[in-house]
Short mmCIF file of all heavy atoms in Angstrom, two decimals:
data_model
loop_
_atom_site.label_atom_id
_atom_site.label_comp_id
_atom_site.label_asym_id
_atom_site.label_seq_id
_atom_site.Cartn_x
_atom_site.Cartn_y
_atom_site.Cartn_z
N ILE E 25 4.14 -11.29 -2.56
CA ILE E 25 4.05 -11.42 -1.11
C ILE E 25 3.33 -12.74 -0.84
O ILE E 25 2.35 -13.00 -1.43
CB ILE E 25 3.22 -10.25 -0.45
CG1 ILE E 25 3.90 -8.92 -0.76
CG2 ILE E 25 3.12 -10.38 1.07
CD1 ILE E 25 3.05 -7.69 -0.52
N GLY E 26 3.91 -13.51 0.05
CA GLY E 26 3.33 -14.81 0.43
C GLY E 26 3.06 -14.99 1.92
O GLY E 26 3.63 -14.27 2.72
N CYS E 27 2.11 -15.93 2.16
CA CYS E 27 1.78 -16.06 3.63
C CYS E 27 1.45 -17.59 3.83
O CYS E 27 0.91 -18.29 3.00
CB CYS E 27 0.48 -15.23 3.84
SG CYS E 27 -0.23 -15.53 5.45
N VAL E 28 1.89 -18.03 5.11
CA VAL E 28 1.65 -19.43 5.42
C VAL E 28 1.09 -19.39 6.90
O VAL E 28 1.57 -18.61 7.69
CB VAL E 28 3.01 -20.20 5.40
CG1 VAL E 28 2.83 -21.55 6.15
CG2 VAL E 28 3.44 -20.48 4.00
N ILE E 29 0.10 -20.25 7.14
CA ILE E 29 -0.46 -20.35 8.46
C ILE E 29 -0.29 -21.75 8.97
O ILE E 29 -0.61 -22.67 8.25
CB ILE E 29 -1.92 -19.92 8.47
CG1 ILE E 29 -2.10 -18.43 8.14
CG2 ILE E 29 -2.59 -20.18 9.85
CD1 ILE E 29 -3.53 -18.00 7.95
N THR E 30 0.22 -21.90 10.19
CA THR E 30 0.41 -23.20 10.82
C THR E 30 -0.54 -23.33 12.05
O THR E 30 -0.84 -22.41 12.72
CB THR E 30 1.84 -23.44 11.23
OG1 THR E 30 2.18 -22.51 12.22
CG2 THR E 30 2.84 -23.41 10.09
N TYR E 31 -0.98 -24.58 12.21
CA TYR E 31 -1.82 -24.95 13.41
C TYR E 31 -1.19 -26.15 14.03
O TYR E 31 -1.02 -27.18 13.40
CB TYR E 31 -3.17 -25.27 12.82
CG TYR E 31 -4.19 -25.73 13.82
CD1 TYR E 31 -4.47 -25.04 14.98
CD2 TYR E 31 -4.93 -26.96 13.65
CE1 TYR E 31 -5.40 -25.41 15.91
CE2 TYR E 31 -5.92 -27.35 14.61
CZ TYR E 31 -6.15 -26.58 15.75
OH TYR E 31 -7.07 -27.03 16.69
N ARG E 32 -0.76 -25.99 15.25
CA ARG E 32 -0.08 -27.07 16.01
C ARG E 32 1.06 -27.62 15.14
O ARG E 32 1.23 -28.81 15.09
CB ARG E 32 -1.07 -28.11 16.39
CG ARG E 32 -2.08 -27.60 17.32
CD ARG E 32 -3.19 -28.57 17.66
NE ARG E 32 -4.15 -28.05 18.61
CZ ARG E 32 -5.34 -28.70 18.92
NH1 ARG E 32 -5.61 -29.85 18.41
NH2 ARG E 32 -6.13 -28.12 19.83
N GLY E 33 1.80 -26.72 14.54
CA GLY E 33 3.00 -27.11 13.77
C GLY E 33 2.77 -27.58 12.34
O GLY E 33 3.73 -27.82 11.60
N GLU E 34 1.52 -27.68 11.94
CA GLU E 34 1.21 -28.12 10.56
C GLU E 34 0.65 -27.02 9.69
O GLU E 34 -0.12 -26.19 10.17
CB GLU E 34 0.22 -29.24 10.57
CG GLU E 34 0.89 -30.58 10.73
CD GLU E 34 -0.14 -31.78 10.59
OE1 GLU E 34 -1.00 -31.72 9.68
OE2 GLU E 34 -0.01 -32.68 11.43
N VAL E 35 1.09 -26.96 8.44
CA VAL E 35 0.61 -25.85 7.48
C VAL E 35 -0.88 -26.20 7.24
O VAL E 35 -1.21 -27.24 6.74
CB VAL E 35 1.45 -25.84 6.27
CG1 VAL E 35 0.77 -24.90 5.19
CG2 VAL E 35 2.88 -25.51 6.53
N ILE E 36 -1.74 -25.24 7.53
CA ILE E 36 -3.10 -25.45 7.18
C ILE E 36 -3.63 -24.49 6.08
O ILE E 36 -4.75 -24.67 5.53
CB ILE E 36 -4.05 -25.28 8.37
CG1 ILE E 36 -3.90 -23.94 9.10
CG2 ILE E 36 -3.84 -26.45 9.38
CD1 ILE E 36 -5.09 -23.59 9.97
N ALA E 37 -2.88 -23.39 5.80
CA ALA E 37 -3.21 -22.50 4.77
C ALA E 37 -2.03 -21.74 4.24
O ALA E 37 -1.10 -21.46 5.01
CB ALA E 37 -4.29 -21.48 5.28
N LYS E 38 -1.95 -21.47 3.00
CA LYS E 38 -0.97 -20.65 2.38
C LYS E 38 -1.52 -20.01 1.11
O LYS E 38 -2.45 -20.54 0.45
CB LYS E 38 0.32 -21.46 2.07
CG LYS E 38 0.07 -22.67 1.15
CD LYS E 38 1.38 -23.49 0.88
CE LYS E 38 1.02 -24.58 -0.10
NZ LYS E 38 2.20 -25.20 -0.72
N ASP E 39 -1.08 -18.81 0.92
CA ASP E 39 -1.62 -18.10 -0.26
C ASP E 39 -0.65 -16.83 -0.59
O ASP E 39 0.34 -16.67 0.11
CB ASP E 39 -3.03 -17.52 0.00
CG ASP E 39 -3.97 -17.72 -1.21
OD1 ASP E 39 -3.48 -17.45 -2.38
OD2 ASP E 39 -5.05 -18.23 -1.02
N HIS E 40 -0.88 -16.27 -1.72
CA HIS E 40 -0.11 -15.08 -2.12
C HIS E 40 -1.06 -13.93 -2.54
O HIS E 40 -2.26 -14.15 -2.70
CB HIS E 40 0.81 -15.48 -3.28
CG HIS E 40 0.14 -16.14 -4.40
ND1 HIS E 40 -0.08 -17.47 -4.49
CD2 HIS E 40 -0.36 -15.59 -5.52
CE1 HIS E 40 -0.65 -17.79 -5.62
NE2 HIS E 40 -0.90 -16.65 -6.31
N ASN E 41 -0.42 -12.85 -2.78
CA ASN E 41 -1.20 -11.64 -3.23
C ASN E 41 -1.87 -11.97 -4.47
O ASN E 41 -1.25 -12.43 -5.48
CB ASN E 41 -0.23 -10.43 -3.30
CG ASN E 41 -1.01 -9.17 -3.55
OD1 ASN E 41 -1.76 -9.00 -4.53
ND2 ASN E 41 -0.75 -8.20 -2.72
#
Side-chain angles (χ1 to χ4, degrees):
Chain E
I25 299 165
C27 173
V28 167
I29 295 174
T30 60
Y31 175 54
R32 298 177 177 170
E34 273 186 43
V35 173
I36 56 159
K38 53 181 185 164
D39 222 315
H40 55 272
N41 189 306

